[in-house]
Amino acid sequence: EGLAAMFNDMAEHLQQRTGELLAARDDLNNIIEQSAALIITTNSAGEIREFNRGAEQILGYERHDVVGKSLDLIWDDQDEFRQVMIQVTGKGSRVNYETLFARRDGAPVPVSCSLTQLTDRTGAVTGLVVVGEDLTERRQLMEARLSAERLTALHRLSLVLTHDLRSPLV
């Protein structure tokens, strides 16, 4: 009886812990899926395993189009991709890296991303995670600001020139 009670307690505890782990997994999956940031994970062979909704919106691919395919699919410059992978393999990560990804339609997308190796408990590399954001709007705003600054500078120059031209005439 005592042994049966102990097994029942262990089974109940195991069931409770399993429920907690499943809830934590669901919360993590929800955070990743609902994130506006591009989040992609690969296996150790570099094949895409996860491709969140943010990645779908930024790159125009559906998850089922890319899962199982090589990560280089989304990179605009294949030589640059190989160089970055060498750096990530050597250092374990590459943070705040600006590059161009290729949308499904072939259009380049400027992104800022961080690439980090994923490891298991033993330290063995199990894959890679890429987290990034689309820089298109930021760059457009920066270009608009620079254009406005140029116009302001030209306006000031024209005021100075007008003043200098009027002064001798007066």
Side-chain angles (χ1 to χ4, degrees), residues 114-130:
S114 294
L115 299 93
T116 306
Q117 286 181 329
L118 299 173
T119 57
D120 63 14
R121 289 184 179 147
T122 66
V125 175
T126 60
L128 182 75
V129 62
V130 180

Side-chain angles (χ1 to χ4, degrees), residues 1 4 35 38 41 48-49 57 59 74 78 82-83 86 101 103-105 114 122 131-132 138 142 149 154 162 169:
E1 259 181 59
S35 175
L38 168 149
T41 63
I48 297 172
R49 286 187 342 191
Q57 291 172 347
L59 299 176
I74 65 164
Q78 298 301 304
R82 284 187 284 283
Q83 291 173 359
I86 290 168
F101 283 171
R103 288 184 49 82
R104 181 181 191 155
D105 61 11
S114 294
T122 66
V131 179
R138 185 182 300 172
M142 190 176 279
E149 287 174 358
L154 284 173
T162 304
L169 294 175

Side-chain angles (χ1 to χ4, degrees), residues 46-70:
E47 297 168 339
I48 297 172
R49 286 187 342 191
E50 296 294 333
F51 197 83
N52 77 332
R53 190 174 298 157
E56 289 179 335
Q57 291 172 347
I58 292 169
L59 299 176
Y61 288 99
E62 298 282 329
R63 176 181 289 123
H64 61 83
D65 294 331
V66 297
V67 169
K69 295 190 177 158
S70 177

Side-chain angles (χ1 to χ4, degrees), residues 1-15:
E1 259 181 59
L3 189 57
M6 192 165 65
F7 276 128
N8 286 338
D9 287 345
M10 286 173 39
E12 184 179 316
H13 180 71
L14 183 60
Q15 186 175 15

